[in-house]
């Protein structure tokens, strides 16, 4: 873990400071560059997912929806993370 944090620190993605009480511990937080990088990665993943979904046929889309619904019924912890559904043409939570 230390090497991973060192690499992120060297690239300017995180800052680190010694804990005031326990000097063996380091407090690590994202820098603005680190935050921008994580946002860029998340956006890239979303673009990839959207591209994949738009390539599905109606039949494949329906099968995927059924499979995901079955998973969400068995895993309420995951279902909690699902964003609220919005009406077509509206943005944000309804």
């Amino acid at each position: 873990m230390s090497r991973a944090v060192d690499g992120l620190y060297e690239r300017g993605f995180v800052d680190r400071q010694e804990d005031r009480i326990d000097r063996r511990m380091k407090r690590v937080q994202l820098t603005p560059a680190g935050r921008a990088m994580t946002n860029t990665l998340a956006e890239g993943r979303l673009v990839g997912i959207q591209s994949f979904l738009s390539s599905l046929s109606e039949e494949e889309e329906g099968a995927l929806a059924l499979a995901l619904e079955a998973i969400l019924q068995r895993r309420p912890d995951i279902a909690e993370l699902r964003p609220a559904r919005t009406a077509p043409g509206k943005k944000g939570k309804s």
Side-chain angles (χ1 to χ4, degrees):
M1 185 56 96
S2 294
R3 281 189 227 162
V5 171
D6 287 345
L8 293 171
Y9 178 78
E10 290 169 7
R11 291 178 184 90
F13 295 135
V14 298
D15 280 329
R16 61 182 173 195
Q17 296 178 349
E18 279 186 359
D19 185 89
R20 293 179 191 184
I21 297 169
D22 185 348
R23 292 180 42 199
R24 296 172 297 174
M25 293 181 68
K26 303 287 188 243
R27 300 285 175 187
V28 180
Q29 67 181 20
L30 286 173
T31 62
R35 198 165 289 107
M37 178 58 70
T38 58
N39 289 341
T40 299
L41 291 171
E43 289 170 10
R45 286 186 189 110
L46 287 175
V47 167
I49 291 169
Q50 289 170 337
S51 175
F52 165 72
L53 292 174
S54 67
S55 75
L56 297 177
S57 68
E58 281 189 37
E59 183 179 318
E60 292 168 331
E61 188 178 323
L64 178 59
L66 287 173
L68 291 174
E69 196 59 44
I71 291 168
L72 293 175
Q73 286 177 5
R74 287 189 26 230
R75 295 288 308 269
D77 56 317
I78 295 173
E80 287 178 5
L81 302 174
R82 182 170 36 179
R85 294 182 183 200
T86 58
K90 294 188 177 187
K91 294 186 179 186
K93 293 184 180 182
S94 55

